[in-house]
Amino acid sequence: MKQLSHENVENTQQKFPITIVCDAIRTPENIGMCFRISESFGVEKIYFHENSPSVENRKVINTARNTINQIAHDYYTDFNSLIKNLKDEDNTIIGIEITDKSINIQDFNFKNHEKIVLLLGSERNGIENVDLVDYTISIPMYGRNSSMNVVHSLAITLYEITNQIKTF
Protein backbone atom coordinates (compact mmCIF):
# COMPACT_ATOMS: atom_id res chain seq x y z
CA MET A 1 0.00 0.00 0.00
CA LYS A 2 1.29 3.44 -0.95
CA GLN A 3 -0.05 6.70 0.43
CA LEU A 4 -0.95 9.05 -2.42
CA SER A 5 -0.19 12.76 -2.59
CA HIS A 6 -2.53 15.43 -3.93
CA GLU A 7 -0.74 15.22 -7.28
CA ASN A 8 -1.59 11.50 -7.55
CA VAL A 9 -5.33 11.90 -6.96
CA GLU A 10 -7.75 12.99 -9.65
CA ASN A 11 -11.28 13.51 -8.33
CA THR A 12 -14.36 13.30 -10.49
CA GLN A 13 -15.32 16.94 -10.54
CA GLN A 14 -19.05 17.48 -10.40
CA LYS A 15 -21.31 20.36 -9.32
CA PHE A 16 -24.51 19.67 -7.46
CA PRO A 17 -27.61 21.91 -7.17
CA ILE A 18 -26.74 22.73 -3.56
CA THR A 19 -26.47 26.17 -1.98
CA ILE A 20 -25.26 26.81 1.56
CA VAL A 21 -26.61 29.64 3.71
CA CYS A 22 -24.59 30.36 6.82
CA ASP A 23 -26.90 32.05 9.31
CA ALA A 24 -24.62 34.43 11.20
CA ILE A 25 -21.59 32.16 11.55
CA ARG A 26 -18.96 34.16 13.42
CA THR A 27 -15.85 31.97 13.71
CA PRO A 28 -13.30 32.61 10.94
CA GLU A 29 -12.15 28.99 10.98
CA ASN A 30 -15.75 27.82 10.43
CA ILE A 31 -16.10 30.21 7.46
CA GLY A 32 -12.86 28.89 5.98
CA MET A 33 -13.83 25.27 6.50
CA CYS A 34 -17.25 25.95 4.99
CA PHE A 35 -15.44 26.92 1.77
CA ARG A 36 -13.20 23.89 1.90
CA ILE A 37 -15.95 21.35 2.61
CA SER A 38 -18.35 22.94 0.12
CA GLU A 39 -15.77 22.90 -2.67
CA SER A 40 -14.94 19.26 -1.89
CA PHE A 41 -18.59 18.28 -2.35
CA GLY A 42 -19.35 20.34 -5.47
CA VAL A 43 -21.59 22.99 -3.86
CA GLU A 44 -22.69 25.74 -6.27
CA LYS A 45 -22.74 28.75 -3.93
CA ILE A 46 -22.37 29.88 -0.33
CA TYR A 47 -24.07 32.85 1.33
CA PHE A 48 -22.63 34.48 4.46
CA HIS A 49 -24.18 37.14 6.67
CA GLU A 50 -22.59 40.57 6.20
CA ASN A 51 -21.33 40.45 9.81
CA SER A 52 -19.53 37.14 9.29
CA PRO A 53 -15.74 37.25 8.92
CA SER A 54 -14.84 38.23 5.35
CA VAL A 55 -12.77 36.34 2.83
CA GLU A 56 -9.94 38.81 3.52
CA ASN A 57 -9.67 37.56 7.12
CA ARG A 58 -6.29 35.81 7.62
CA LYS A 59 -7.82 32.88 9.53
CA VAL A 60 -10.50 32.41 6.86
CA ILE A 61 -7.83 32.41 4.13
CA ASN A 62 -5.54 29.97 5.97
CA THR A 63 -8.36 27.56 6.78
CA ALA A 64 -10.00 27.71 3.35
CA ARG A 65 -6.65 27.19 1.61
CA ASN A 66 -7.18 27.82 -2.09
CA THR A 67 -10.94 27.18 -2.21
CA ILE A 68 -12.19 30.75 -1.77
CA ASN A 69 -11.72 31.47 -5.48
CA GLN A 70 -13.11 28.09 -6.51
CA ILE A 71 -16.66 28.49 -5.23
CA ALA A 72 -19.19 31.26 -5.78
CA HIS A 73 -20.09 33.18 -2.64
CA ASP A 74 -21.96 36.27 -1.61
CA TYR A 75 -23.06 38.16 1.47
CA TYR A 76 -26.58 38.98 2.62
CA THR A 77 -28.04 41.53 5.02
CA ASP A 78 -31.59 40.30 5.60
CA PHE A 79 -31.95 36.60 6.38
CA ASN A 80 -35.72 36.49 5.80
CA SER A 81 -35.42 38.16 2.37
CA LEU A 82 -32.64 35.83 1.27
CA ILE A 83 -34.63 32.73 2.22
CA LYS A 84 -37.74 34.10 0.48
CA ASN A 85 -35.73 34.78 -2.70
CA LEU A 86 -34.23 31.29 -2.64
CA LYS A 87 -37.69 29.76 -2.19
CA ASP A 88 -38.97 31.86 -5.10
CA GLU A 89 -36.21 30.23 -7.20
CA ASP A 90 -37.73 26.79 -6.38
CA ASN A 91 -35.14 25.77 -3.82
CA THR A 92 -36.05 23.43 -0.98
CA ILE A 93 -34.78 24.97 2.26
CA ILE A 94 -33.38 22.34 4.63
CA GLY A 95 -32.12 23.32 8.05
CA ILE A 96 -29.51 21.22 9.77
CA GLU A 97 -31.08 21.62 13.19
CA ILE A 98 -32.53 19.66 16.06
CA THR A 99 -36.28 20.39 16.24
CA ASP A 100 -39.37 18.46 17.26
CA LYS A 101 -40.00 17.92 13.50
CA SER A 102 -36.45 16.95 12.45
CA ILE A 103 -36.05 13.98 10.14
CA ASN A 104 -33.13 11.63 10.64
CA ILE A 105 -30.65 12.41 7.87
CA GLN A 106 -30.58 8.79 6.66
CA ASP A 107 -34.38 8.80 6.34
CA PHE A 108 -34.55 11.98 4.25
CA ASN A 109 -34.81 11.43 0.49
CA PHE A 110 -32.72 14.19 -1.05
CA LYS A 111 -33.44 12.85 -4.56
CA ASN A 112 -36.98 14.24 -4.26
CA HIS A 113 -35.65 17.82 -4.37
CA GLU A 114 -34.16 19.39 -7.51
CA LYS A 115 -32.46 22.38 -5.84
CA ILE A 116 -31.38 22.25 -2.21
CA VAL A 117 -30.44 25.02 0.18
CA LEU A 118 -28.71 23.82 3.34
CA LEU A 119 -29.17 26.25 6.17
CA LEU A 120 -26.52 26.29 8.90
CA GLY A 121 -27.33 28.02 12.15
CA SER A 122 -24.96 30.14 14.16
CA GLU A 123 -22.53 28.41 16.47
CA ARG A 124 -24.33 29.61 19.59
CA ASN A 125 -28.02 29.98 18.74
CA GLY A 126 -28.73 27.75 15.76
CA ILE A 127 -31.01 28.88 12.93
CA GLU A 128 -32.44 32.37 13.47
CA ASN A 129 -35.93 31.69 12.15
CA VAL A 130 -36.56 27.95 11.88
CA ASP A 131 -40.13 28.59 10.71
CA LEU A 132 -38.79 29.64 7.29
CA VAL A 133 -37.37 26.21 6.45
CA ASP A 134 -39.23 23.51 4.55
CA TYR A 135 -37.60 20.69 6.53
CA THR A 136 -35.12 20.16 9.30
CA ILE A 137 -32.80 17.21 9.40
CA SER A 138 -30.77 15.90 12.29
CA ILE A 139 -27.74 13.68 12.56
CA PRO A 140 -28.03 10.81 15.05
CA MET A 141 -25.54 11.07 17.88
CA TYR A 142 -24.67 8.46 20.45
CA GLY A 143 -22.65 10.32 23.05
CA ARG A 144 -23.79 12.67 25.79
CA ASN A 145 -23.48 15.80 23.66
CA SER A 146 -26.54 16.70 21.58
CA SER A 147 -24.80 18.90 19.02
CA MET A 148 -21.58 19.13 17.04
CA ASN A 149 -19.56 21.81 15.29
CA VAL A 150 -21.51 23.42 12.46
CA VAL A 151 -18.90 22.50 9.84
CA HIS A 152 -18.81 18.87 10.96
CA SER A 153 -22.57 18.68 10.55
CA LEU A 154 -22.22 20.30 7.10
CA ALA A 155 -19.64 17.71 6.03
CA ILE A 156 -21.81 14.79 7.16
CA THR A 157 -24.87 16.27 5.45
CA LEU A 158 -23.08 16.99 2.18
CA TYR A 159 -21.72 13.46 2.16
CA GLU A 160 -25.23 12.04 2.58
CA ILE A 161 -26.75 14.31 -0.07
CA THR A 162 -24.10 13.71 -2.70
CA ASN A 163 -24.10 9.99 -1.96
CA GLN A 164 -27.83 9.93 -2.71
CA ILE A 165 -27.89 12.18 -5.79
CA LYS A 166 -24.55 11.54 -7.54
CA THR A 167 -24.84 10.48 -11.15
CA PHE A 168 -21.57 8.60 -11.73
PDB file of all heavy atoms in Angstrom, residues 40-57:
ATOM      1  N   SER A  40     -15.198  20.702  -1.806  1.00  0.00           N
ATOM      2  CA  SER A  40     -14.941  19.260  -1.893  1.00  0.00           C
ATOM      3  C   SER A  40     -16.167  18.483  -2.353  1.00  0.00           C
ATOM      4  O   SER A  40     -16.041  17.437  -2.990  1.00  0.00           O
ATOM      5  CB  SER A  40     -14.499  18.714  -0.532  1.00  0.00           C
ATOM      6  OG  SER A  40     -13.270  19.274  -0.164  1.00  0.00           O
ATOM      7  N   PHE A  41     -17.358  18.985  -2.007  1.00  0.00           N
ATOM      8  CA  PHE A  41     -18.594  18.279  -2.350  1.00  0.00           C
ATOM      9  C   PHE A  41     -19.362  18.921  -3.510  1.00  0.00           C
ATOM     10  O   PHE A  41     -20.523  18.601  -3.734  1.00  0.00           O
ATOM     11  CB  PHE A  41     -19.493  18.159  -1.116  1.00  0.00           C
ATOM     12  CG  PHE A  41     -19.038  17.086  -0.167  1.00  0.00           C
ATOM     13  CD1 PHE A  41     -18.311  17.406   0.963  1.00  0.00           C
ATOM     14  CD2 PHE A  41     -19.320  15.746  -0.417  1.00  0.00           C
ATOM     15  CE1 PHE A  41     -17.876  16.414   1.834  1.00  0.00           C
ATOM     16  CE2 PHE A  41     -18.889  14.749   0.443  1.00  0.00           C
ATOM     17  CZ  PHE A  41     -18.168  15.085   1.580  1.00  0.00           C
ATOM     18  N   GLY A  42     -18.730  19.815  -4.258  1.00  0.00           N
ATOM     19  CA  GLY A  42     -19.354  20.343  -5.467  1.00  0.00           C
ATOM     20  C   GLY A  42     -20.527  21.276  -5.248  1.00  0.00           C
ATOM     21  O   GLY A  42     -21.441  21.331  -6.071  1.00  0.00           O
ATOM     22  N   VAL A  43     -20.523  22.013  -4.153  1.00  0.00           N
ATOM     23  CA  VAL A  43     -21.586  22.987  -3.862  1.00  0.00           C
ATOM     24  C   VAL A  43     -21.500  24.137  -4.868  1.00  0.00           C
ATOM     25  O   VAL A  43     -20.413  24.561  -5.253  1.00  0.00           O
ATOM     26  CB  VAL A  43     -21.441  23.505  -2.409  1.00  0.00           C
ATOM     27  CG1 VAL A  43     -22.305  24.729  -2.154  1.00  0.00           C
ATOM     28  CG2 VAL A  43     -21.775  22.389  -1.434  1.00  0.00           C
ATOM     29  N   GLU A  44     -22.657  24.646  -5.298  1.00  0.00           N
ATOM     30  CA  GLU A  44     -22.688  25.737  -6.267  1.00  0.00           C
ATOM     31  C   GLU A  44     -22.350  27.098  -5.665  1.00  0.00           C
ATOM     32  O   GLU A  44     -21.623  27.881  -6.270  1.00  0.00           O
ATOM     33  CB  GLU A  44     -24.061  25.821  -6.940  1.00  0.00           C
ATOM     34  CG  GLU A  44     -24.304  24.707  -7.926  1.00  0.00           C
ATOM     35  CD  GLU A  44     -25.627  24.828  -8.648  1.00  0.00           C
ATOM     36  OE1 GLU A  44     -26.509  25.610  -8.214  1.00  0.00           O
ATOM     37  OE2 GLU A  44     -25.783  24.136  -9.669  1.00  0.00           O
ATOM     38  N   LYS A  45     -22.905  27.400  -4.482  1.00  0.00           N
ATOM     39  CA  LYS A  45     -22.736  28.747  -3.933  1.00  0.00           C
ATOM     40  C   LYS A  45     -22.898  28.730  -2.417  1.00  0.00           C
ATOM     41  O   LYS A  45     -23.620  27.898  -1.878  1.00  0.00           O
ATOM     42  CB  LYS A  45     -23.756  29.702  -4.555  1.00  0.00           C
ATOM     43  CG  LYS A  45     -23.534  31.160  -4.203  1.00  0.00           C
ATOM     44  CD  LYS A  45     -24.384  32.078  -5.063  1.00  0.00           C
ATOM     45  CE  LYS A  45     -24.037  33.530  -4.784  1.00  0.00           C
ATOM     46  NZ  LYS A  45     -24.723  34.436  -5.686  1.00  0.00           N
ATOM     47  N   ILE A  46     -22.242  29.694  -1.774  1.00  0.00           N
ATOM     48  CA  ILE A  46     -22.367  29.878  -0.327  1.00  0.00           C
ATOM     49  C   ILE A  46     -22.770  31.331  -0.070  1.00  0.00           C
ATOM     50  O   ILE A  46     -22.240  32.255  -0.701  1.00  0.00           O
ATOM     51  CB  ILE A  46     -21.038  29.624   0.411  1.00  0.00           C
ATOM     52  CG1 ILE A  46     -20.418  28.292   0.020  1.00  0.00           C
ATOM     53  CG2 ILE A  46     -21.240  29.706   1.928  1.00  0.00           C
ATOM     54  CD1 ILE A  46     -18.995  28.106   0.547  1.00  0.00           C
ATOM     55  N   TYR A  47     -23.695  31.513   0.863  1.00  0.00           N
ATOM     56  CA  TYR A  47     -24.070  32.846   1.334  1.00  0.00           C
ATOM     57  C   TYR A  47     -23.638  32.999   2.789  1.00  0.00           C
ATOM     58  O   TYR A  47     -23.886  32.111   3.612  1.00  0.00           O
ATOM     59  CB  TYR A  47     -25.589  33.058   1.274  1.00  0.00           C
ATOM     60  CG  TYR A  47     -26.120  33.252  -0.111  1.00  0.00           C
ATOM     61  CD1 TYR A  47     -26.622  32.172  -0.838  1.00  0.00           C
ATOM     62  CD2 TYR A  47     -26.138  34.510  -0.701  1.00  0.00           C
ATOM     63  CE1 TYR A  47     -27.128  32.339  -2.119  1.00  0.00           C
ATOM     64  CE2 TYR A  47     -26.652  34.685  -1.985  1.00  0.00           C
ATOM     65  CZ  TYR A  47     -27.141  33.601  -2.679  1.00  0.00           C
ATOM     66  OH  TYR A  47     -27.643  33.768  -3.939  1.00  0.00           O
ATOM     67  N   PHE A  48     -23.028  34.143   3.096  1.00  0.00           N
ATOM     68  CA  PHE A  48     -22.628  34.481   4.455  1.00  0.00           C
ATOM     69  C   PHE A  48     -23.316  35.770   4.870  1.00  0.00           C
ATOM     70  O   PHE A  48     -23.542  36.653   4.033  1.00  0.00           O
ATOM     71  CB  PHE A  48     -21.107  34.705   4.546  1.00  0.00           C
ATOM     72  CG  PHE A  48     -20.297  33.509   4.162  1.00  0.00           C
ATOM     73  CD1 PHE A  48     -19.671  33.450   2.925  1.00  0.00           C
ATOM     74  CD2 PHE A  48     -20.163  32.444   5.027  1.00  0.00           C
ATOM     75  CE1 PHE A  48     -18.916  32.351   2.568  1.00  0.00           C
ATOM     76  CE2 PHE A  48     -19.417  31.336   4.677  1.00  0.00           C
ATOM     77  CZ  PHE A  48     -18.790  31.287   3.442  1.00  0.00           C
ATOM     78  N   HIS A  49     -23.617  35.893   6.157  1.00  0.00           N
ATOM     79  CA  HIS A  49     -24.176  37.144   6.669  1.00  0.00           C
ATOM     80  C   HIS A  49     -23.108  38.225   6.582  1.00  0.00           C
ATOM     81  O   HIS A  49     -21.915  37.952   6.730  1.00  0.00           O
ATOM     82  CB  HIS A  49     -24.653  36.963   8.113  1.00  0.00           C
ATOM     83  CG  HIS A  49     -25.405  38.143   8.617  1.00  0.00           C
ATOM     84  ND1 HIS A  49     -24.788  39.208   9.227  1.00  0.00           N
ATOM     85  CD2 HIS A  49     -26.721  38.431   8.575  1.00  0.00           C
ATOM     86  CE1 HIS A  49     -25.693  40.102   9.553  1.00  0.00           C
ATOM     87  NE2 HIS A  49     -26.881  39.667   9.171  1.00  0.00           N
ATOM     88  N   GLU A  50     -23.532  39.458   6.352  1.00  0.00           N
ATOM     89  CA  GLU A  50     -22.590  40.567   6.203  1.00  0.00           C
ATOM     90  C   GLU A  50     -21.698  40.763   7.429  1.00  0.00           C
ATOM     91  O   GLU A  50     -20.604  41.323   7.325  1.00  0.00           O
ATOM     92  CB  GLU A  50     -23.341  41.863   5.891  1.00  0.00           C
ATOM     93  CG  GLU A  50     -24.225  42.339   7.031  1.00  0.00           C
ATOM     94  CD  GLU A  50     -24.963  43.627   6.714  1.00  0.00           C
ATOM     95  OE1 GLU A  50     -24.736  44.210   5.639  1.00  0.00           O
ATOM     96  OE2 GLU A  50     -25.775  44.050   7.546  1.00  0.00           O
ATOM     97  N   ASN A  51     -22.137  40.307   8.597  1.00  0.00           N
ATOM     98  CA  ASN A  51     -21.328  40.447   9.810  1.00  0.00           C
ATOM     99  C   ASN A  51     -20.397  39.259  10.057  1.00  0.00           C
ATOM    100  O   ASN A  51     -19.670  39.246  11.043  1.00  0.00           O
ATOM    101  CB  ASN A  51     -22.225  40.649  11.033  1.00  0.00           C
ATOM    102  CG  ASN A  51     -22.941  41.979  10.990  1.00  0.00           C
ATOM    103  OD1 ASN A  51     -22.453  42.941  10.403  1.00  0.00           O
ATOM    104  ND2 ASN A  51     -24.120  42.041  11.586  1.00  0.00           N
ATOM    105  N   SER A  52     -20.442  38.271   9.180  1.00  0.00           N
ATOM    106  CA  SER A  52     -19.528  37.142   9.294  1.00  0.00           C
ATOM    107  C   SER A  52     -18.127  37.591   8.891  1.00  0.00           C
ATOM    108  O   SER A  52     -17.977  38.559   8.136  1.00  0.00           O
ATOM    109  CB  SER A  52     -19.969  35.993   8.387  1.00  0.00           C
ATOM    110  OG  SER A  52     -21.179  35.448   8.835  1.00  0.00           O
ATOM    111  N   PRO A  53     -17.101  36.897   9.357  1.00  0.00           N
ATOM    112  CA  PRO A  53     -15.740  37.249   8.922  1.00  0.00           C
ATOM    113  C   PRO A  53     -15.642  37.185   7.398  1.00  0.00           C
ATOM    114  O   PRO A  53     -16.209  36.299   6.762  1.00  0.00           O
ATOM    115  CB  PRO A  53     -14.875  36.167   9.569  1.00  0.00           C
ATOM    116  CG  PRO A  53     -15.668  35.717  10.758  1.00  0.00           C
ATOM    117  CD  PRO A  53     -17.105  35.817  10.335  1.00  0.00           C
ATOM    118  N   SER A  54     -14.925  38.130   6.816  1.00  0.00           N
ATOM    119  CA  SER A  54     -14.839  38.229   5.351  1.00  0.00           C
ATOM    120  C   SER A  54     -13.759  37.302   4.802  1.00  0.00           C
ATOM    121  O   SER A  54     -12.930  36.766   5.542  1.00  0.00           O
ATOM    122  CB  SER A  54     -14.540  39.671   4.938  1.00  0.00           C
ATOM    123  OG  SER A  54     -13.171  39.945   5.119  1.00  0.00           O
ATOM    124  N   VAL A  55     -13.758  37.182   3.495  1.00  0.00           N
ATOM    125  CA  VAL A  55     -12.767  36.336   2.831  1.00  0.00           C
ATOM    126  C   VAL A  55     -11.369  36.956   2.867  1.00  0.00           C
ATOM    127  O   VAL A  55     -10.403  36.318   2.473  1.00  0.00           O
ATOM    128  CB  VAL A  55     -13.171  36.008   1.374  1.00  0.00           C
ATOM    129  CG1 VAL A  55     -14.433  35.154   1.353  1.00  0.00           C
ATOM    130  CG2 VAL A  55     -13.349  37.268   0.550  1.00  0.00           C
ATOM    131  N   GLU A  56     -11.248  38.181   3.343  1.00  0.00           N
ATOM    132  CA  GLU A  56      -9.937  38.812   3.521  1.00  0.00           C
ATOM    133  C   GLU A  56      -9.345  38.501   4.896  1.00  0.00           C
ATOM    134  O   GLU A  56      -8.181  38.805   5.152  1.00  0.00           O
ATOM    135  CB  GLU A  56     -10.029  40.336   3.352  1.00  0.00           C
ATOM    136  CG  GLU A  56     -10.175  40.773   1.900  1.00  0.00           C
ATOM    137  CD  GLU A  56     -11.624  40.732   1.430  1.00  0.00           C
ATOM    138  OE1 GLU A  56     -12.529  40.977   2.246  1.00  0.00           O
ATOM    139  OE2 GLU A  56     -11.841  40.441   0.242  1.00  0.00           O
ATOM    140  N   ASN A  57     -10.136  37.904   5.785  1.00  0.00           N
ATOM    141  CA  ASN A  57      -9.665  37.559   7.124  1.00  0.00           C
ATOM    142  C   ASN A  57      -8.563  36.495   7.021  1.00  0.00           C
ATOM    143  O   ASN A  57      -8.725  35.486   6.335  1.00  0.00           O
ATOM    144  CB  ASN A  57     -10.857  37.048   7.943  1.00  0.00           C
ATOM    145  CG  ASN A  57     -10.486  36.678   9.359  1.00  0.00           C
ATOM    146  OD1 ASN A  57      -9.754  35.727   9.583  1.00  0.00           O
ATOM    147  ND2 ASN A  57     -11.017  37.417  10.309  1.00  0.00           N
TER     148      ASN A  57
END
